[in-house]
Amino acid sequence: KKNEIIYFFRQYPDFAKLQIGSILGNFSSWSSFVALLFLLNDITENGIQLGILWSISGLAPLLFGLIAGVLVDRFDFKKGLMYIDFLRAIISLGFIIIPLLEGWSAWITYFLLRFIISLCGSYSYAARQTIIPKIVEADDLTRANAISFTILNVMRLLGLTFGGVLLGIGGINFVWILQSITFLISAILVSQMKVDTLPVQINKKNFIED
């Protein structure tokens, strides 16, 4: 029975809530990649503009990945995840207004929204992995991490696969609304977790040293 994921979720309810939120968030995040490209194509005039804006707005995970762990340790993991998911829910709806803008205003808005939501994603990933050892027993930690990484990779594949389908069924605004709803549900699930996630006590160390 211990090899069954359903049994594992029943054994660790907090882990189940964390992973259900991860399933929803990762699927909607990766499926929105297709919508992001379509949106970018609408607000740019040529391939050079598209390529530059896409690349610089996607730098956040590379830059923030270096310091995400430091920030996670300095704040309450549970509250941090809740606030981040609420923020991502709001930012997702912001993409709806971009087609109403023109020129530089559309580009800057796109850049800021995608950059911020990417930063939030990096923090969310680091925080979710940090919480796992606090909600499962040491003997089950390897299995828990395996399940977590499997879910991440499967949702990445499914999200990219069905992103175009969702776009075709409901249109681009449907994708943003769906993404916002999934982040909101994820935040609610995190709020229901009973795990104690007080920040790590860091003695006499500044941010750069950490």
Side-chain angles (χ1 to χ4, degrees):
K1 281 188 176 181
K2 274 200 165 187
N3 292 324
E4 298 177 7
I5 294 179
I6 294 177
Y7 176 83
F8 197 82
F9 279 6
R10 289 176 179 173
Q11 185 179 6
Y12 299 108
D14 278 351
F15 182 76
K17 293 171 184 175
L18 185 72
Q19 294 307 318
I20 292 172
S22 180
I23 289 172
L24 294 173
N26 281 310
F27 177 81
S28 63
S29 293
W30 286 102
S31 62
S32 71
F33 261 56
V34 180
L36 283 170
L37 283 169
F38 269 84
L39 177 59
L40 189 57
N41 185 64
D42 287 340
I43 65 174
T44 54
E45 299 175 356
N46 53 60
I48 295 177
Q49 292 177 359
L50 189 150
I52 292 175
L53 189 56
W54 177 259
S55 61
I56 62 175
S57 62
L59 288 176
L62 296 177
L63 300 175
F64 191 67
L66 297 172
I67 61 174
V70 181
L71 290 178
V72 168
D73 284 342
R74 288 177 176 267
F75 299 98
D76 185 303
F77 306 153
K78 179 178 173 180
K79 290 182 179 179
L81 269 178
M82 287 171 51
Y83 296 151
I84 286 296
D85 282 340
F86 276 124
L87 180 59
R88 289 200 288 179
I90 296 172
I91 292 176
S92 296
L93 297 177
F95 287 103
I96 295 176
I97 69 172
I98 292 179
L100 305 177
L101 306 175
E102 295 181 359
W104 282 99
S105 58
W107 300 349
I108 293 173
T109 304
Y110 179 95
F111 170 79
L112 290 176
L113 291 181
R114 186 176 179 227
F115 191 83
I116 294 172
I117 207 169
S118 297
L119 290 179
C120 292
S122 296
Y123 179 91
S124 176
Y125 174 76
R128 288 177 182 278
Q129 293 305 122
T130 305
I131 289 178
I132 292 177
K134 300 180 180 295
I135 56 181
V136 302
E137 297 178 1
D139 291 342
D140 291 326
L141 185 57
T142 300
R143 186 180 296 110
N145 282 324
I147 292 173
S148 179
F149 281 113
T150 299
I151 287 174
L152 173 65
N153 289 318
V154 170
M155 288 305 105
R156 177 185 296 152
L157 176 62
L158 291 178
L160 291 172
T161 301
F162 289 100
V165 176
L166 294 175
L167 188 63
I169 292 175
I172 195 167
N173 287 342
F174 171 74
V175 175
W176 308 131
I177 294 172
L178 179 63
Q179 181 173 254
S180 179
I181 292 173
T182 58
F183 286 142
L184 185 60
I185 295 173
S186 177
I188 294 173
L189 288 170
V190 171
S191 70
Q192 295 175 344
M193 293 170 58
K194 298 179 180 179
V195 61
D196 182 15
T197 56
L198 292 176
V200 176
Q201 296 299 318
I202 302 174
N203 297 320
K204 297 181 180 180
K205 285 188 177 181
N206 61 41
F207 187 85
I208 300 300
E209 288 177 341
D210 290 337

